[in-house]
């Protein structure tokens, strides 16, 4: 009986790790990946920069000028916010980005609190730009900015309202 319970727990843990990715720790990416990404979805990471500096991932040579400008605007606004507030609330992120000129109607921002009221480990913001999504994350005062393909829904976050 105990052996069955242990086997069930191990199977559950394996299933959960398959859903969340196999990268442990707080530096794991929260972006979903597929087993066969299109050529345009291949992301290249840059060398990590000091805390508080933006890290960029994406196809740097293939970025269109509008995406590159949006990536820079998002990184600068999030770095300013993170410098004063290492764990900002959802509204603070939205205000900082709309204040930087990013249209609020296109902006997607994750929740800073879980449904049970706990503080989220990181907060993310995303803006679709043509076929790209510029996604920024603040985690403990560090900012990371990536460019990924837009989803079939035209949004950047899975489950974002239409």
């Amino acid at each position: 009986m105990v052996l069955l319970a242990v086997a069930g727990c191990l199977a559950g843990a394996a299933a959960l790790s398959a859903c969340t990715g196999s990268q442990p720790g707080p530096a794991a990416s929260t972006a979903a990946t597929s087993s066969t990404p299109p050529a345009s979805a291949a992301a290249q990471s840059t060398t990590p920069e000091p805390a508080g500096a933006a890290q960029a991932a994406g196809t740097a040579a293939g970025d269109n000028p509008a995406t590159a400008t949006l990536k820079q605007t998002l990184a600068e606004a999030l770095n300013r916010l993170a410098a004063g507030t290492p764990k900002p609330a959802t509204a603070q992120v939205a205000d900082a980005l709309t204040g930087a000129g990013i249209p609020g109607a296109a902006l997607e921002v994750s929740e800073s609190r879980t449904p049970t009221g706990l503080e989220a480990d990181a907060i993310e913001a995303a803006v679709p730009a043509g076929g790209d999504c510029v996604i920024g994350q603040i985690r403990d005062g560090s900012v990371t900015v990536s460019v990924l393909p837009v989803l079939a829904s035209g949004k950047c976050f899975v489950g974002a309202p239409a």
Side-chain angles (χ1 to χ4, degrees):
M1 185 69 130
V2 171
L3 185 57
L4 288 176
V6 170
C9 288
L10 290 175
L16 285 176
S17 69
C19 292
T20 61
S22 61
Q23 297 175 329
S29 172
T30 57
T33 60
S34 69
S35 59
T36 56
S40 64
Q44 301 172 348
S45 295
T46 60
T47 304
E49 296 176 327
Q55 297 176 9
T59 54
D63 283 349
N64 68 45
T67 299
T69 300
L70 181 59
K71 183 168 41 170
Q72 182 178 352
T73 301
L74 193 100
E76 289 172 356
L78 291 178
N79 274 311
R80 279 192 302 273
L81 176 61
T85 310
K87 291 189 175 198
T90 300
Q92 290 174 300
V93 173
D95 290 346
L97 294 176
T98 56
I102 295 173
L107 184 61
E108 299 172 48
V109 181
S110 65
E111 294 295 325
S112 56
R113 294 235 169 247
T114 67
T116 58
L118 299 174
E119 186 177 75
D121 292 337
I123 188 162
E124 295 185 349
V127 183
D132 295 325
C133 282
V134 180
I135 302 172
Q137 179 188 79
I138 299 176
R139 180 182 296 272
D140 295 324
S142 293
V143 173
T144 303
V145 176
S146 302
V147 177
L148 298 170
V150 71
L151 299 173
S153 65
K155 299 287 186 174
C156 297
F157 288 169
V158 173

